[in-house]
Amino acid sequence: MSFKDNLLKKIQINDLAARVIASIGPADSGKKTDKQAMQELLNMSSYKFHKERDLDLYISDNAAKHKILVSDNELAIYNSTPQDVCLRKSPTVKEMLNVFKVIKILNDSDVVVCKKEASVKIIEEDCIRGLDLSFDKADIKEIGIDGAASLESGYAKGVIESLSLFAELLGYVSAPKAFQISDNHIIGAVLKKENNMIFGPVILYNRIHNALRRVENQISSADKEKIEFLHKTASGKEKASQEGVEVFAALRESVFASMSSE
């Protein structure tokens, strides 16, 4: 797979993990873990499905004992064997009548590695570990060229895909609520400062008008005048730092600069 494909896969993995984590709540909350997203994540991992009793287990072969994730609401990962996990999670009547086994059934702290969010992070890292994310300037140029071609042809999905790739490379995030503008896909660098949020540089892509703009300056969430300027820039009433395919050139150069500083 190309670097671009691997980076898109990483973004997909991160998004799935975020979905699962967002769905997890306290034990008494009644929230149900997003099993579909977790299933997709597990399918991309090195963990292998194994059915034991009524349990859906996902096993990572490592040694005599395995890391075993139980696919349920808790998402516990055990450092044990499938048989031992079944004893603790789904004991038979005979096992429950055995005093030595009851001790294990009632206390699994000796074999549980983690649960819930921490387990999702382990699976997420396992998925990403198999990706080759090394790149050079040619890879970055390709992303910029693809983005520019999508913009010129009015292919919004392609533009957003290229912007997502640059966002991943530069650590940009989707616009916080204070900076969101309807019909615009907005990304940028975020810095939290005391009670304010600093956003910028800002990339604005109007999906309706296929207009791409970049604002170089950082904008505080407390600065209403600059936020108004951002809105006017998005609508074309104010001049952006770069517009059109020049935005992809600026993003490319930002990545090059980050490569040089490493």
Side-chain angles (χ1 to χ4, degrees):
M1 291 175 68
S2 67
F3 166 69
K4 177 181 174 179
D5 290 335
N6 281 333
L7 190 57
L8 285 170
K9 180 69 73 174
K10 180 183 182 295
I11 292 170
Q12 181 188 9
I13 291 165
N14 293 152
D15 288 346
L16 285 169
R19 273 176 55 191
V20 177
I21 289 172
S23 72
I24 295 173
D28 58 351
S29 68
K31 289 186 73 175
K32 296 292 184 182
T33 300
D34 189 334
K35 288 188 176 181
Q36 181 181 345
M38 191 64 201
Q39 183 66 60
E40 290 182 50
L41 202 59
L42 285 164
N43 289 345
M44 289 188 280
S45 75
S46 65
Y47 284 62
K48 304 302 180 186
F49 175 73
H50 179 75
K51 188 77 174 181
E52 191 84 19
R53 297 186 187 177
D54 60 341
L55 299 176
D56 289 342
L57 308 179
Y58 286 84
I59 304 174
S60 175
D61 288 323
N62 213 351
K65 287 189 175 181
H66 314 280
K67 277 187 178 178
I68 301 174
L69 180 137
V70 181
S71 183
D72 60 11
N73 229 35
E74 276 196 328
L75 297 176
I77 292 180
Y78 292 79
N79 187 23
S80 189
T81 63
Q83 294 73 26
D84 183 56
V85 173
C86 286
L87 167 66
R88 296 167 190 268
K89 289 288 291 184
S90 184
T92 63
V93 173
K94 183 179 179 180
E95 287 168 338
M96 288 188 285
L97 294 175
N98 184 313
V99 65
F100 297 106
K101 291 183 177 180
V102 166
I103 294 171
K104 287 188 173 184
I105 293 168
L106 295 176
N107 183 11
D108 59 7
S109 60
D110 59 320
V111 290
V112 170
V113 177
C114 57
K115 295 181 180 181
K116 298 191 174 183
E117 293 91 345
S119 296
V120 178
K121 284 294 182 184
I122 285 178
I123 301 301
E124 179 183 22
E125 289 167 6
D126 179 80
C127 292
I128 293 171
R129 196 177 298 119
L131 300 175
D132 179 5
L133 296 171
S134 58
F135 62 90
D136 56 25
K137 287 188 175 183
D139 294 311
I140 306 308
K141 287 178 181 178
E142 181 186 347
I143 294 171
I145 290 169
D146 289 347
S150 294
L151 183 67
E152 290 178 332
S153 64
Y155 180 45
K157 185 178 178 181
V159 174
I160 291 172
E161 179 181 275
S162 294
L163 291 177
S164 298
L165 291 165
F166 276 116
E168 183 69 23
L169 290 163
L170 293 167
Y172 287 3
V173 299
S174 297
K177 189 174 181 179
F179 303 96
Q180 292 174 7
I181 302 171
S182 61
D183 298 327
N184 279 265
H185 176 82
I186 304 175
I187 57 172
V190 168
L191 173 67
K192 289 184 179 179
K193 192 174 182 181
E194 296 178 355
N195 296 325
N196 294 332
M197 193 170 288
I198 309 299
F199 192 47
V202 183
I203 311 298
L204 309 106
Y205 176 58
N206 188 302
R207 295 180 290 265
I208 305 300
H209 301 292
N210 189 42
L212 183 62
R213 301 177 174 92
R214 179 177 181 270
V215 175
E216 175 69 29
N217 297 335
Q218 293 183 321
I219 301 171
S220 168
S221 58
D223 192 331
K224 293 183 179 180
E225 188 175 322
K226 284 190 176 179
I227 290 178
E228 179 62 25
F229 168 79
L230 189 66
H231 279 258
K232 288 182 178 179
T233 303
S235 64
K237 295 177 182 177
E238 291 282 359
K239 184 71 174 175
S241 304
Q242 289 90 24
E243 297 185 359
V245 296
E246 291 180 0
V247 174
F248 284 112
L251 288 168
R252 180 194 65 211
E253 293 305 316
S254 294
V255 177
F256 287 170
S258 69
M259 291 168 67
S260 300
S261 63
E262 290 178 356

